[in-house]
């Protein structure tokens, strides 16, 4: 078994996409919790959930970004796929910066069970960039077909197997 499986995943089962699900879900929850606090739907639990979700999101962004960067480095520079992936990378890094700034500047109000106006705006901008980055990430897979094997007749048991098979490795 190759060592690169640790950060790239197996052929047909890349590591980066499932990590993005965790990251996007966490930041989405943070945004919803911030909206709940700012609109008065929650007294203080929205603010606490918002800040904790931001911190957890920033933690899981590390491995998500690292695996994405390693995938990006494998793309031929200057291709249309590379251009789309570079926009995806830029949007996601920008979103991360906005979420980090929201956590930093919102910490004081979080301690009192509130989401400040500035931290809320930073969170919403971060979420907008996250949404754009997710859309671009979808284009990388579903339009450009990155890391999609196209093994339509692969038997179900082999398709889901964690053991690499020669057909998968050749298609990758």
């Amino acid at each position: 078994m190759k060592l690169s499986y640790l950060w790239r995943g197996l052929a047909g089962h890349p590591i980066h996409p499932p990590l993005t699900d965790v990251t996007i879900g966490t930041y989405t929850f943070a945004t919803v919790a911030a909206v709940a606090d700012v609109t008065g739907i929650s007294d203080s639990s929205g603010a606490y959930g918002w800040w904790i979700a931001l911190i957890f999101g920033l933690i899981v962004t590390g491995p998500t970004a690292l695996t994405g960067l390693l995938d990006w480095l494998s793309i031929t520079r200057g291709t249309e796929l590379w251009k789309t992936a570079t926009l995806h990378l830029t949007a996601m890094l920008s979103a991360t910066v906005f979420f980090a700034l929201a956590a930093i500047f919102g910490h004081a109000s979080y301690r009192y069970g509130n989401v400040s106006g500035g931290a809320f705006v930073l969170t919403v901008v971060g979420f907008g960039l996250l949404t754009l980055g997710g859309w671009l990430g979808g284009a990388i897979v579903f339009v450009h077909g990155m890391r999609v094997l196209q093994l339509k007749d692969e038997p179900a048991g082999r398709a889901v197997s964690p053991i690499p098979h020669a057909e998968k490795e050749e298609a990758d």
Side-chain angles (χ1 to χ4, degrees):
M1 188 175 266
K2 297 183 218 173
L3 188 58
S4 68
Y5 290 149
L6 294 175
W7 62 85
R8 289 200 68 208
L10 298 170
H13 300 277
I15 296 291
H16 181 67
L19 291 174
T20 65
D21 293 348
V22 174
T23 306
I24 290 170
T26 302
Y27 286 136
T28 299
F29 173 80
T31 304
V32 170
V35 168
D37 182 75
V38 169
T39 59
I41 293 172
S42 72
D43 290 331
S44 59
S45 56
Y48 296 134
W50 160 78
W51 197 81
I52 292 167
L54 284 180
I55 298 306
F56 182 74
L58 291 168
I59 291 167
V60 297
T61 293
T64 305
L66 180 60
T67 56
L69 177 64
L70 292 170
D71 281 348
W72 180 78
L73 291 172
S74 72
I75 301 170
T76 303
R77 190 174 180 89
T79 62
E80 294 304 313
L81 170 60
W82 181 84
K83 291 174 187 175
T84 305
T86 301
L87 288 172
H88 167 70
L89 178 119
T90 302
M92 294 312 239
L93 286 176
S94 299
T96 301
V97 168
F98 276 91
F99 287 127
L101 290 172
I104 292 166
F105 293 120
H107 184 259
S109 60
Y110 145 78
R111 290 177 45 207
Y112 295 102
N114 294 308
V115 176
S116 68
F120 178 71
V121 168
L122 290 167
T123 301
V124 170
V125 171
F127 184 73
L129 289 164
L130 180 79
T131 302
L132 172 63
W135 179 272
L136 293 166
I140 291 166
V141 175
F142 298 111
V143 175
H144 295 292
M146 183 171 178
R147 309 245 3 235
V148 177
L149 300 183
Q150 300 295 331
L151 296 174
K152 295 178 184 119
D153 296 323
E154 185 78 358
R158 288 174 60 108
V160 300
S161 173
I163 308 297
H165 297 285
E167 297 86 1
K168 284 185 178 181
E169 289 180 336
E170 286 175 28
D172 192 29

